[in-house]
Amino acid sequence: RTLGASITSVAPGQVVIELAPRPEISQQHGFVHAGAVSAIADSAAGYAALSVMPSDRGVLTTEFKINLLAPATGDRIVARGKVVKAGRTLTIAQTEVFAGKDGGERLIALLTATLMAIEGREGVVD
């Protein structure tokens, strides 16, 4: 909510999160801040992992690496997370982040994450 991002697609092992650029989440040159890009990329990977876990499990990111490939500028920023390998305890996911403008898209970031299944779902916000 704080970033103004929303989940636009959910399928088993795949989640898409979109963000509309705004001054409040931009850095000094007017590009969407890397923190906002990282947040939606991590969330897309996390929700993708959660989508393949048993319903009594939650998920926590234990590690991620992000490559920022180009400035985040355009009409929308789209993070497409997908599970690479799901395990009982650890799941590996990747997110490709695209900047959309005039109907086209360009890859601006790539995140790889390791996510851990946790017991119970207390504290999960719906």
Side-chain angles (χ1 to χ4, degrees):
R1 288 183 215 152
T2 300
L3 295 175
S6 57
I7 296 173
T8 58
S9 176
V10 178
Q14 299 182 20
V15 169
V16 178
I17 297 177
E18 295 192 27
L19 173 70
R22 354 185 278 284
E24 297 84 5
I25 57 171
S26 297
Q27 47 85 287
Q28 70 274 15
H29 300 293
F31 305 125
V32 175
H33 194 281
V37 172
S38 297
I40 65 168
D42 177 43
S43 293
Y47 281 121
L50 184 63
S51 75
V52 298
M53 291 183 184
S55 63
D56 66 338
R57 299 281 199 264
V59 66
L60 288 175
T61 300
T62 61
E63 169 274 336
F64 75 73
K65 180 193 185 317
I66 189 164
N67 291 94
L68 302 166
L69 307 172
T73 183
D75 301 325
R76 61 190 166 75
I77 307 299
V78 182
R80 294 187 179 102
K82 67 178 180 179
V83 170
V84 174
K85 170 97 170 69
R88 187 172 43 85
T89 304
L90 296 177
T91 295
I92 306 299
Q94 283 189 321
T95 302
E96 292 180 324
V97 184
F98 297 87
K101 186 173 183 177
D102 299 327
E105 290 185 336
R106 68 184 169 100
L107 184 65
I108 61 165
L110 178 64
L111 174 136
T112 302
T114 304
L115 304 117
M116 177 179 71
I118 58 170
E119 296 287 333
R121 302 268 315 263
E122 301 87 25
V124 174
V125 178
D126 291 335

